[in-house]
Amino acid sequence: MKTNITLLLFCLLLAPFAGNASPGQATALPTERMLLLTDRDVYVAGDMLLYSARLFNSSDRASTTSRFAYISLRGKEIIAQQAIELDNGYSHGSMFLPDTLSTGYYELTAFTNWMRNEGETIYFRRQILVVNRFDKDFANISPRIVPDSEAVLSFFPEGQQFVTGAESRLLVVASGAYDASYRNFVVIDQLQDTLVAGRLNAGGFAELSLTPVNGNSYYLLMEGSSRRFQLPQAKPSGMGLTVKQQNQLLLANIINAGETSDISLELFRQGRIVERKSLRAVNGNNQVQFDLSSINEGLIALRVSEKGRQTGIRWFYFSKPTSMPSVLSNESFRRRDKVGIQIQPGDVPIAQMSATVVKAELASYRPVHMLSYKAILDLHAATGQDLQSLIRIYGNLDHDQINSRIISETSIPEFNIPVLSGNHTYAMEVSRQLVSGTVTNMETGQPAANTRLLLNTPDTVINLMYTQTNQEGYFQFILTPYYNNKELFVIADPTSTSGRLTINLHDKFRFSKPAENKPFPGIWHNRNAMSKSQEVANINKAYQINWMTDSQVPPTLYFPPPRLFSRPNMRILPELFEPLDDLREIARELIHPWRIRQSGAKHVHSLVCATTKAMLPGTPMLFVDGVAVFDIDDVMHLGSRQIKEVQVHNLNWVHGEMEIPGLIGIFTNTQEFEKISYSHSFLREFHEAPVHPKRFLAPVYTSMNDHVSGRPDLRETLYWNPDVVIRRNGTAQLEFYTGDLSGDYLIKIEGITADNQVFSITKPLTVVQ
Amino acid sequence: MKKHISAFFLAVCFTITSWAGSGNLLQPDPQIRLSGEVFTFSIYAEGSQYLNDEWFPGTVRFFTGEEVSGQSLKYNGFLDELIWLSPGFIQVQLDKHMIRSFTIKNPHTEVEYHFENITFRPWMENTRVNIFAQSLYREGISLMVYHRIRNAGQTTENVRGTIVSRGKLVPDPVYYILLPNGEARILRNFSRRSFLRVFPDHKDQIKRVFRQHGLRIRTRGDAVQAMPLINQVVSPGEL
């Protein structure tokens, strides 16, 4: 027996150590990143914004860790907020843009509870433009008109060195308040001879090739600007570098403008050197190639060093030349014409795919697609740059454009794989939504440690969950779907603490960073398109046209409550008896096991046990309409008129670690829980359920009558299918009808292959008269 | 030795529970809890009122779909109740109407017992019976065993000059064939005849299939083996 006890004590002593893998340890935990794709960039107030949301992990692969994500739309204040449920890291939905929104830029933000640990800088944030139907002045949404003297152009030679004697590539980037998008330019030399002509793109950058001559100066002249922008002076000696990808090979050309020299080339991937080569570089071009077949897709850096000193660096986004899915479709259609789009898989089958067909001028300002987002995540990890700025710069670029724009990145090739430290406050919502917060003592301001918190919601059954605060006064509840769209009462159990407490919930939608308000480049050129959209919105409003409909799968509305007991020992319906004025009378006359007596100015109560017939030790738990009340004097006034039913469970009850000397549930006709002035510390908060996605239901024109129907079809988003059905042979077929609006549209197909590679395909489609 | 192992197991259980509570960095421990009345029942008797005298580790599943695992449990066959040892070392008779099923595992033999909370109507009766029954074979037509422990009689004895009566508790398992319509038929003993008696309309087919498979029913194992054949022969719609 002694040995038994010793053994038991030994094991019990060990127990606390086993629990020490607690928050605070620096463990490599997964990180998450969200991507939100919208059907367009520009909306009219009253439109429905359609989105799909995807979760990535730290290695920019599709992630399935968190099950819930949060989306908000905000300007100066939050306009709309939603919780969505992810299915294998993917979901889609819609958000109504209220009619009353004023014209301006609004920011869409997407994140998971787990992402909150890393701060708002890693939230997915992107702008949309909302135009009010009645606004005719678009001056406030256009880039500020600034004098061309404020135009700033920067030049970045590829490989950082601009050397004479060989063709070099230069990246021209416009920055600052001056909107240089879509500006034509020419490069001249000091003799005014035009050498190169080009055009800055929507993002305000362009790449140009030039073979500089020693001693010459070069200038860029930009349309709309009277300034001359001088290009950097080409050096007569040095090592220029150009890089291009050819299948699995990276071809580097070292342009040595000086004498023969020994140089080394190091290829970096994720901060590690994956290959090193030495080269005797002779004057002129020196070709080197790197085999990338064993390297994973992603960001790489090639560093050139001469005598141990770095002379140049070139970042490059390497993507495997696998065959991606292809889109087969005619380009031109008539109004109300049937469109068939065939999607063929590439080498690898398609796992999931979404498709959008939308008016081109509403979707070309600041979009982001999956392919570019993958590069953005890599760049964010490699250079530590702000995710939002990277989305702004790289969001709309294809593979070649990314590799052109990336020339401006000259930071050292370090790669910071995001590692979440142990100091995380917010848990990952892997199966259920969480509500977390802190409890502090009102008088001392100190965290209230080890305080038991109860969670109730008003209902016709007694429901209870509870948890305990940790040393920092922190708590969290895992909510079952029962709490969806219900009012939560978080109550500090006065038997586990003393003094008045303040309970604060962590508001998932509280942001410290203001919403970005940067005008879309080139928006001024498309003001006519916005005016047309306003007219379309007016007509849709007049005809009450709405293309959204409820999902075919109805939401599950009933979830079982977390009951304290299955059925009470006694049920009393006071209304069946003579009217009684208060609880004391009701207890005395109708509920014999319930004893209420006065003790000084207060009342105390107890229950007689149903099985032992002895008085249960302690005060029973009292609930009014499902909400716990700890002081019977708070509800003593309730009489037969208010009370519908009293449930008595007079047993020595155990619920987890809680011992409860009986339970009394009072259910009222008059929602008395609203009127009680509770003497204990509590917090009341509404819990919004994750939204159920709606379907986009485009019209079908099968008969001639449909074609001439008087009802206008002014869809600017012609087609939206966030989850395209993939056939058994791996292909997919999209079928829809064009509307009455002629013009240019974009077919955007985005998805993920079975080997977790993302793809984004954009094709034009025209609707003619 | 058994007691040693039992004490060790109890401590390990406690250790695991405390680790799970504080070490899960991705999601806190679930806040689903067991509920019931403090268990104070005792009977002066020879024999045990429990199927398992030791605390076996087990999992309890609720009708809500939630489950709580790593709990110390005993099945009381005399009262047909599940007894739980709470973290405060209080014995609790769990609220039966909240439990859909539970599984307990003998740590010495690794044998698992899966019990279900079933409500059925005995054959030719109108009342409904609600019991925890161990499922031996679960399909359309199932074989369940109710691990009943009954008082087989009283003996009187003189304890320090006082005459006291003492019960004699004996295991008395009852085997049920549970039909898809919620009706249950008692399997009186392990024999072909008892099966034929349960399915009088399918006598010939059952006889034939038993003969084809050379199945003689002498033990519980044989009865379990017979169940797939019964399910093959008797379609639920015919009952």
Side-chain angles (χ1 to χ4, degrees):
Chain A
M1 185 60 192
K2 261 189 182 176
T3 331
N4 261 345
I5 294 168
T6 320
L7 193 62
L8 183 67
L9 284 174
F10 173 72
C11 294
L12 288 177
L13 276 171
L14 279 177
F17 294 100
N20 275 356
S22 58
Q25 282 185 0
T27 318
L29 297 170
T31 53
E32 295 179 337
R33 300 288 182 266
M34 284 288 298
L35 170 64
L36 201 68
L37 302 173
T38 54
D39 60 330
R40 33 183 161 135
D41 301 336
V42 180
Y43 297 86
V44 176
D47 276 348
M48 193 66 89
L49 178 149
L50 308 170
Y51 65 79
S52 61
R54 193 178 289 279
L55 191 64
F56 289 91
N57 62 21
S58 43
S59 53
D60 54 32
R61 294 264 163 154
S63 172
T64 55
T65 41
S66 280
R67 194 170 162 192
F68 296 93
Y70 300 90
I71 294 169
S72 86
L73 177 73
R74 63 194 176 118
K76 284 181 185 136
E77 287 174 353
I78 291 180
I79 310 297
Q81 60 187 48
Q82 289 183 349
I84 53 168
E85 195 169 345
L86 302 168
D87 179 11
N88 281 318
Y90 180 73
S91 187
H92 56 90
S94 54
M95 195 177 262
F96 179 70
L97 303 172
D99 273 321
T100 49
L101 281 185
S102 54
T103 300
Y105 291 96
Y106 294 85
E107 188 177 271
L108 273 170
T109 310
F111 56 95
T112 63
N113 199 45
W114 187 242
M115 284 166 67
R116 294 168 71 201
N117 292 304
E118 290 184 80
E120 287 173 36
T121 50
I122 57 102
Y123 286 9
F124 178 86
R125 301 168 76 191
R126 61 162 298 194
Q127 284 180 275
I128 58 161
L129 172 61
V130 181
V131 181
N132 190 283
R133 280 193 290 144
F134 305 105
D135 268 346
K136 295 295 168 205
D137 179 18
F138 300 131
N140 61 331
I141 56 165
S142 303
R144 186 166 58 94
I145 297 169
V146 290
D148 67 319
S149 58
E150 284 188 30
V152 180
L153 288 188
S154 308
F155 300 93
F156 300 93
E158 185 178 13
Q160 289 181 279
Q161 293 216 14
F162 192 40
V163 293
T164 56
E167 190 177 13
S168 300
R169 277 195 292 189
L170 265 179
L171 174 73
V172 187
V173 180
S175 55
Y178 186 81
D179 183 9
S181 50
Y182 304 121
R183 306 272 171 157
N184 293 313
F185 66 83
V186 288
V187 175
I188 57 167
D189 59 13
Q190 72 267 38
L191 303 170
Q192 305 289 324
D193 289 338
T194 300
L195 305 173
V196 181
R199 191 180 189 223
L200 294 170
N201 63 13
F205 74 90
E207 194 186 292
L208 57 94
S209 289
L210 193 67
T211 308
V213 177
N214 192 13
N216 276 11
S217 296
Y218 300 96
Y219 303 92
L220 187 144
L221 304 178
M222 185 169 64
E223 176 196 4
S225 169
S226 55
R227 287 186 58 195
R228 288 198 329 166
F229 299 91
Q230 185 168 6
L231 270 64
Q233 198 70 40
K235 291 179 186 169
S237 67
M239 298 286 171
L241 170 68
T242 58
V243 161
K244 66 176 177 185
Q245 185 185 340
Q246 195 175 73
N247 296 323
Q248 302 267 37
L249 295 175
L250 186 76
L251 305 178
N253 182 30
I254 317 294
I255 308 148
N256 185 0
E259 292 172 3
T260 302
S261 177
D262 290 329
I263 59 165
S264 73
L265 294 116
E266 291 161 326
L267 188 70
F268 286 81
R269 168 88 177 113
Q270 296 194 332
R272 285 196 306 271
I273 296 172
V274 289
E275 201 172 346
R276 182 182 276 131
K277 284 189 177 182
S278 296
L279 178 76
R280 171 151 291 195
V282 295
N283 183 269
N285 292 325
N286 298 269
Q287 308 280 344
V288 184
Q289 63 182 41
F290 291 88
D291 182 6
L292 303 179
S293 55
S294 58
I295 296 175
N296 282 339
E297 198 167 66
L299 203 62
I300 53 175
L302 184 65
R303 184 164 72 178
V304 182
S305 304
E306 190 179 3
K307 292 171 189 158
R309 195 176 56 84
Q310 178 180 311
T311 58
I313 192 157
R314 170 70 157 107
W315 288 90
F316 195 84
Y317 192 80
F318 161 62
S319 62
K320 296 254 182 196
T322 48
S323 149
M324 280 294 162
S326 54
V327 176
L328 308 171
S329 159
N330 290 338
E331 280 199 8
S332 185
F333 295 88
R334 294 165 65 85
R335 289 175 179 183
R336 302 200 178 191
D337 213 354
K338 189 176 181 179
V339 180
I341 298 174
Q342 178 85 22
I343 298 154
Q344 299 280 1
D347 293 341
V348 184
I350 300 165
Q352 195 275 331
M353 177 170 54
S354 67
T356 318
V357 182
V358 66
K359 266 263 181 186
E361 60 254 35
L362 303 178
S364 319
Y365 298 99
R366 198 164 282 164
V368 56
H369 49 78
M370 286 175 69
L371 204 64
S372 62
Y373 193 62
K374 229 183 129 182
I376 287 165
L377 290 180
D378 246 11
L379 264 168
H380 171 64
T383 64
Q385 286 182 69
D386 180 41
L387 198 57
Q388 197 179 1
S389 313
L390 288 170
I391 291 172
R392 204 165 48 238
I393 298 168
Y394 291 95
N396 192 26
L397 307 184
D398 63 23
H399 178 253
D400 291 341
Q401 288 171 324
I402 288 170
N403 275 326
S404 183
R405 184 63 179 79
I406 215 169
I407 288 174
S408 66
E409 304 295 340
T410 55
S411 56
I412 51 165
E414 279 183 357
F415 192 88
N416 309 304
I417 295 172
V419 173
L420 202 55
S421 71
N423 184 24
H424 56 278
T425 310
Y426 309 104
M428 189 181 276
E429 294 176 321
V430 290
S431 57
R432 298 271 161 86
Q433 280 186 287
L434 300 174
V435 164
S436 62
T438 51
V439 183
T440 47
N441 190 304
M442 222 182 249
E443 285 137 29
T444 63
Q446 294 297 309
N450 304 320
T451 301
R452 184 187 290 148
L453 291 170
L454 313 182
L455 178 68
N456 294 139
T457 186
D459 201 347
T460 51
V461 291
I462 295 177
N463 60 88
L464 178 77
M465 278 176 76
Y466 67 86
T467 190
Q468 194 151 321
T469 57
N470 66 7
Q471 288 305 309
E472 289 80 42
Y474 173 77
F475 70 91
Q476 56 191 348
F477 285 106
I478 304 175
L479 299 184
T480 67
Y482 164 72
Y483 294 100
N484 284 349
N485 292 326
K486 285 198 171 81
E487 205 128 31
L488 307 181
F489 277 75
V490 180
I491 300 162
D493 184 349
T495 61
S496 69
T497 184
S498 58
R500 296 289 291 174
L501 303 173
T502 308
I503 304 168
N504 288 310
L505 287 190
H506 294 145
D507 183 358
K508 287 170 179 155
F509 291 100
R510 181 184 289 170
F511 302 100
S512 56
K513 284 184 85 171
E516 197 174 49
N517 186 8
K518 289 204 168 147
F520 287 167
I523 192 79
W524 183 248
H525 304 292
N526 281 324
R527 55 193 181 277
N528 289 340
M530 286 186 289
S531 300
K532 264 189 205 166
S533 279
Q534 286 175 313
E535 283 170 34
V536 166
N538 279 329
I539 295 166
N540 284 341
K541 191 84 184 165
Y543 280 86
Q544 297 184 330
I545 294 169
N546 178 12
W547 306 113
M548 301 307 290
T549 183
D550 284 334
S551 167
Q552 279 170 321
V553 185
T556 313
L557 294 175
Y558 176 76
F559 293 95
R563 285 169 183 264
L564 255 171
F565 54 84
S566 58
R567 47 185 79 163
N569 273 356
M570 287 176 78
R571 267 178 211 272
I572 296 101
L573 304 172
E575 61 189 4
L576 301 179
F577 300 88
E578 283 295 309
L580 297 162
D581 290 339
D582 59 24
L583 283 187
R584 197 170 176 177
E585 282 192 19
I586 290 173
R588 190 177 59 218
E589 301 297 333
L590 307 179
I591 311 167
H592 300 299
W594 194 14
R595 307 284 160 84
I596 301 175
R597 64 188 169 83
Q598 195 149 8
S599 170
K602 308 280 288 175
H603 286 91
V604 289
H605 66 131
S606 53
L607 281 170
V608 174
C609 181
T611 47
T612 63
K613 307 296 175 199
M615 201 64 93
L616 289 168
T619 307
M621 271 192 94
L622 182 62
F623 294 84
V624 174
D625 295 322
V627 179
V629 177
F630 284 92
D631 188 346
I632 193 169
D633 284 311
D634 291 347
V635 290
M636 203 60 190
H637 61 280
L638 297 179
S640 311
R641 278 190 188 83
Q642 292 103 341
I643 297 174
K644 187 177 172 187
E645 184 184 340
V646 181
Q647 294 184 0
V648 180
H649 201 57
N650 50 336
L651 292 169
N652 203 358
W653 204 248
V654 173
H655 182 61
E657 304 86 54
M658 263 176 101
E659 286 177 53
I660 307 166
L663 299 120
I664 296 154
I666 297 170
F667 298 94
T668 66
N669 297 309
T670 45
Q671 297 206 320
E672 289 296 321
F673 73 94
E674 298 268 15
K675 301 168 196 165
I676 298 168
S677 105
Y678 297 93
S679 50
H680 53 256
S681 309
F682 79 104
L683 178 129
R684 192 173 168 176
E685 184 87 15
F686 187 76
H687 171 63
E688 266 180 58
V691 291
H692 206 68
K694 289 184 175 239
R695 272 189 311 148
F696 181 80
L697 204 64
V700 176
Y701 303 115
T702 46
S703 69
M704 276 312 288
N705 283 346
D706 292 333
H707 287 262
V708 293
S709 126
R711 190 178 152 93
D713 175 5
L714 304 176
R715 275 172 294 146
E716 289 180 310
T717 298
L718 277 183
Y719 183 75
W720 164 259
N721 187 346
D723 210 352
V724 176
V725 176
I726 297 152
R727 292 169 176 166
R728 207 171 280 177
N729 61 4
T731 63
Q733 174 81 23
L734 311 180
E735 278 185 0
F736 60 94
Y737 288 81
T738 57
D740 296 337
L741 282 177
S742 54
D744 294 330
Y745 289 80
L746 287 179
I747 305 169
K748 297 194 287 181
I749 311 281
E750 310 230 24
I752 195 153
T753 58
D755 63 347
N756 226 342
Q757 299 294 321
V758 299
F759 62 89
S760 305
I761 304 160
T762 306
K763 274 199 80 171
L765 183 149
T766 308
V767 178
V768 292
Q769 291 278 351
Chain B
M1 183 59 192
K2 264 190 177 178
K3 278 184 180 171
H4 273 124
I5 294 168
S6 160
F8 180 75
F9 170 76
L10 197 69
V12 166
C13 262
F14 186 73
T15 311
I16 289 167
T17 313
S18 62
W19 174 80
S22 59
N24 183 357
L25 300 171
L26 302 185
Q27 190 156 26
D29 53 321
Q31 287 145 358
I32 308 302
R33 293 180 168 91
L34 298 173
S35 291
E37 188 191 355
V38 173
F39 184 62
T40 50
F41 175 82
S42 67
I43 180 170
Y44 185 57
E46 186 186 309
S48 171
Q49 54 182 317
Y50 298 103
L51 172 72
N52 51 315
D53 274 332
E54 288 177 53
W55 293 103
F56 281 3
T59 301
V60 180
R61 291 168 210 88
F62 296 106
F63 280 107
T64 58
E66 314 278 355
E67 67 173 49
V68 183
S69 53
Q71 304 298 316
S72 301
L73 304 168
K74 273 183 188 184
Y75 173 66
N76 186 319
F78 185 67
L79 300 174
D80 184 35
E81 294 287 356
L82 182 61
I83 313 299
W84 167 56
L85 186 65
S86 81
F89 293 96
I90 300 169
Q91 294 196 29
V92 179
Q93 176 184 316
L94 292 177
D95 192 335
K96 191 174 180 177
H97 301 292
M98 290 166 91
I99 299 169
R100 183 196 292 274
S101 67
F102 66 91
T103 307
I104 50 175
K105 186 175 178 181
N106 185 330
H108 312 295
T109 61
E110 298 281 310
V111 173
E112 262 193 6
Y113 302 85
H114 177 72
F115 284 77
E116 285 179 45
N117 186 346
I118 56 167
T119 302
F120 62 88
R121 187 163 45 82
W123 198 13
M124 310 293 280
E125 285 183 31
N126 239 345
T127 54
R128 295 188 79 79
V129 175
N130 172 233
I131 54 164
F132 281 129
Q134 186 196 349
S135 72
L136 298 176
Y137 183 86
R138 204 72 170 101
E139 219 191 286
I141 299 166
S142 309
L143 179 64
M144 316 288 286
V145 54
Y146 166 36
H147 287 283
R148 183 172 67 174
I149 290 169
R150 68 180 171 86
N151 195 344
Q154 301 279 337
T155 54
T156 50
E157 56 186 47
N158 190 330
V159 179
R160 291 184 202 135
T162 313
I163 303 293
V164 290
S165 102
R166 188 160 71 144
K168 190 182 177 191
L169 300 183
V170 290
D172 182 22
V174 184
Y175 291 85
Y176 287 102
I177 302 276
L178 191 65
L179 305 180
N181 60 6
E183 194 180 286
R185 298 176 186 180
I186 292 177
L187 199 64
R188 301 275 171 211
N189 50 35
F190 296 125
S191 66
R192 276 189 185 189
R193 182 174 293 176
S194 60
F195 270 99
L196 299 179
R197 205 177 288 150
V198 170
F199 302 102
D201 299 339
H202 300 81
K203 266 184 183 173
D204 295 340
Q205 296 102 304
I206 293 173
K207 265 186 198 168
R208 198 179 314 125
V209 75
F210 280 4
R211 205 176 301 125
Q212 274 170 7
H213 289 82
L215 188 65
R216 298 169 69 82
I217 296 168
R218 294 281 178 271
T219 63
R220 192 167 96 166
D222 298 336
V224 174
Q225 272 190 11
M227 291 311 295
L229 304 177
I230 298 282
N231 272 285
Q232 204 180 302
V233 168
V234 184
S235 78
E238 295 174 45
L239 294 165

